[in-house]
Amino acid sequence: MPEEVSATLRVRMSQQDVHYGGSLVDGARLLQLFGDLVTEITIRSDGDEGLLTEYQRVEFLAPVHAGDFIEATARLVARGRLRRTVEFTAHKTIEARYDLGATRAEASGEPTLVCRAVGTAVVPPAAARRRAREAAPTKDPAQAPPSRV
């Protein structure tokens, strides 16, 4: 793969993200972040938003609560004719500590991996062809060998 394409988002989970008791955030919220990231990846790699069509694997590894800061990252790892394979990770970088007080939080020394996944996005054939044309070497008349008369 000629170029590394990646994207990162950092967001604070809010009470609006909570779906379960104990201010627990719904895992679907992390997948929403991954969806935004894959959109950025396909725009950067193909000039088109593409479409996230599947996840091959999703693992929720640690709880996320309202007030936690999450850093989500995506990296393009494979490119087919129309399919793009992307790896996702989400780390908790700041943890809300409401057990210590209403406004308490701790910056994690080592971010906690809370979710990882692999997904596939599809780009329209026209976008994939356009990108292939842009990447193809063009003939520069100045570089052409002299013509024989």
Side-chain angles (χ1 to χ4, degrees):
M1 189 169 323
E3 63 178 296
E4 165 129 348
V5 182
S6 62
T8 300
L9 291 171
R10 184 176 283 185
V11 297
R12 183 176 190 213
M13 297 293 109
S14 73
Q15 285 296 324
Q16 293 175 346
D17 299 315
V18 169
H19 188 74
Y20 302 104
S23 293
L24 188 62
V25 171
D26 190 345
R29 177 66 174 107
L30 298 175
L31 297 182
Q32 183 181 28
L33 295 176
F34 292 168
D36 288 343
L37 288 167
V38 77
T39 298
E40 182 176 343
I41 294 279
T42 56
I43 289 169
R44 289 182 184 280
S45 67
D46 295 283
D48 190 276
E49 290 186 3
L51 179 64
L52 179 62
T53 59
E54 70 175 333
Y55 286 106
Q56 288 90 11
R57 181 180 69 241
V58 176
E59 297 175 87
F60 297 104
L61 303 165
V64 176
H65 297 92
D68 291 347
F69 282 74
I70 300 297
E71 183 174 279
T73 302
R75 186 172 59 91
L76 180 64
V77 295
R79 179 193 313 258
R81 189 173 68 82
L82 301 176
R83 296 182 189 278
R84 310 294 179 253
T85 303
V86 179
E87 290 180 343
F88 305 97
T89 58
H91 288 84
K92 187 185 314 185
T93 59
I94 295 177
E95 183 174 5
R97 292 298 311 266
Y98 300 129
D99 57 320
L100 300 177
T103 59
R104 299 296 303 267
E106 290 179 351
S108 304
E110 182 69 28
T112 303
L113 181 63
V114 296
C115 184
R116 64 180 162 214
V118 175
T120 300
V122 176
V123 295
R129 283 193 301 271
R130 180 178 64 243
R131 185 64 177 189
R133 280 193 311 269
E134 291 169 0
T138 57
K139 292 184 180 180
D140 181 357
Q143 298 292 328
S147 61
R148 295 186 182 166
V149 184

